[in-house]
Amino acid sequence: MTTQPRFTDLDRPAALIAALPAVLGFVPVHSLVLVTLDRGDIGPVLRVDLSAALTAGTEHFAAVVASSCPDAAIAVIVDENMPDCSACASDHLDLADRLAESLDGHAITLLAALVVDRVTPGGRWRCADGCGAGGVIDDPESSPLAAAAVLEGRRLYGRREELEQVVDIVDLDHCDRLAEQIARHATGDPTPAAEAVRLALRMAAQVGAGTDPDDAEVAVLACALTDPRVRDTLYALAVGERAAEAEALWTRLARLLPQPWRTEALVLVAFSAYVRGDGPLAGISLEAALKCQATHRMAGMLDQALQSGMHPRQIRELALTGYRTAAQLGVQLPPRRAFGQRAR
């Protein structure tokens, strides 16, 4: 699920469908996408794969939708095998009917169910109930939300798998070598929290400048991430002037570290992405973190917040704890930045 800024073309299906890649962060294929509405404006957007299990039971999906308390919703079924005639799409109509019934149980009105073959230039849409409406979608790259995403520095991906690769482990052999190095370091005295935070700041600057982190330093920082004081302080970097450098380091660590240390890097990526309004990357990172450690407290909290459509400004308030902890440790963090400006 992700939340997005104001969108004004809710009454134009061609424009709404074209905006989905910018909302989700990738081009959806073979998916059910549900756009929720809150007082007439776009709210959290959810996507799941089309499957027989989904058609048979939409209750769980509707319950997740209801967590953000929307007034209504619009369903978009993305199916490359969309039949040539609307009357032939009985599966789509059945899914829409089941979804409408499940949403109604939560006092959410399904305003429309649309079917589109592909969310790319030339994609064609129509209503799922055979009302006769349909046509060609707008160009997704020309969507106002796509332009806004580019201005915010977000990258849009052609497939969900490309987004997942942002935090996937890149080199299993390197990961195994790091596991041995981390295990050796963990047998010694723990690194003082203040020293670990300063190390993270130096490493972030190096990665931001295009330099790969040193394995020995990676091992030190990985062990230090198990210290709550270090973790709490590092979350604060997401709202600082060097947030982009910090996120680059967390992303690099997520692709390098073995378990269980990788989980902490994934949650740092998720927090940083969420703070700047990148729901897709936050969601992918949290999904990976919870697969690694289902009971991770921060991951679970952020996932619940994202699922319920909590605004990034509310998440930013959590970073204040990091600044207080840094002050207690005697570490000076980069100044907080005014949001609406790109982090350096």
Side-chain angles (χ1 to χ4, degrees):
M1 180 189 289
T2 185
T3 57
Q4 288 296 322
R6 187 170 181 82
F7 181 75
T8 58
D9 281 339
L10 293 172
D11 59 343
R12 294 188 57 242
L16 176 64
I17 295 170
L20 293 181
V23 174
L24 295 171
F26 57 90
V27 178
V29 296
H30 207 65
S31 302
L32 169 63
V33 181
L34 199 72
V35 180
T36 66
L37 305 178
D38 183 16
R39 293 183 293 275
D41 199 11
I42 190 171
V45 178
L46 299 87
R47 187 215 68 91
V48 292
D49 293 335
L50 288 181
S51 66
L54 174 64
T55 302
T58 53
E59 291 80 7
H60 175 70
F61 188 56
V64 173
V65 174
S67 65
S68 61
C69 302
D71 304 317
I74 297 174
V76 179
I77 300 169
V78 186
D79 188 352
E80 62 277 14
N81 298 316
M82 182 175 77
D84 293 334
C85 62
S86 58
C88 300
S90 59
D91 289 345
H92 300 148
L93 181 57
D94 184 42
L95 174 57
D97 286 344
R98 289 176 179 271
L99 180 61
E101 182 178 354
S102 297
L103 291 173
D104 186 63
H106 296 275
I108 302 169
T109 302
L110 184 63
L111 295 178
L114 312 171
V115 185
V116 61
D117 57 355
R118 53 192 175 91
V119 189
T120 55
R124 300 192 65 84
W125 72 274
R126 64 162 167 262
C127 55
D129 62 2
C131 71
V136 179
I137 68 170
D138 293 357
D139 183 354
E141 294 184 2
S142 300
S143 164
L145 288 186
V150 172
L151 289 174
E152 292 168 0
R154 285 179 50 201
R155 179 182 169 187
L156 303 183
Y157 296 84
R159 297 178 302 141
R160 188 176 191 271
E161 291 78 8
E162 293 177 13
L163 179 56
E164 292 172 341
Q165 289 170 6
V166 173
V167 292
D168 277 350
I169 293 177
V170 65
D171 185 337
L172 290 175
D173 290 338
H174 192 180
C175 184
D176 290 342
R177 292 195 299 273
L178 277 171
E180 296 174 358
Q181 196 158 0
I182 293 169
R184 289 195 297 271
H185 181 79
T187 60
D189 294 331
T191 303
E195 183 180 331
V197 173
R198 294 190 183 99
L199 172 62
L201 290 169
R202 291 196 304 272
M203 292 174 66
Q206 292 168 357
V207 173
T211 302
D212 287 336
D214 177 78
D215 281 2
E217 292 184 332
V218 168
V220 172
L221 184 55
C223 289
L225 291 179
T226 61
D227 184 335
R229 296 171 301 167
V230 175
R231 285 202 308 268
D232 287 349
T233 303
L234 295 181
Y235 286 128
L237 298 182
V239 300
E241 292 184 353
R242 299 294 177 182
E245 293 178 354
E247 187 173 320
L249 173 61
W250 312 145
T251 303
R252 184 64 177 152
L253 293 180
R255 305 188 77 190
L256 284 174
L257 290 177
Q259 281 302 104
W261 302 278
R262 179 172 182 254
T263 300
E264 301 301 342
L266 286 166
V267 179
L268 283 163
V269 174
F271 186 81
S272 182
Y274 199 157
V275 158
R276 62 181 175 81
D278 191 343
L281 179 56
I284 289 292
S285 301
L286 289 171
E287 181 180 329
L290 290 170
K291 281 182 178 178
C292 296
Q293 187 178 338
T295 59
H296 193 284
R297 187 172 180 180
M298 186 64 161
M301 185 193 70
L302 289 175
D303 186 58
Q304 184 176 8
L306 191 65
Q307 294 287 349
S308 64
M310 185 177 290
H311 196 279
R313 65 173 170 269
Q314 296 172 273
I315 299 300
R316 291 170 200 149
E317 295 175 3
L318 298 175
L320 297 178
T321 299
Y323 276 92
R324 288 194 291 268
T325 305
Q328 293 168 2
L329 294 175
V331 177
Q332 184 172 1
L333 299 182
R336 295 181 66 188
R337 66 186 177 96
F339 278 82
Q341 301 176 0
R342 293 275 307 274
R344 291 179 288 173

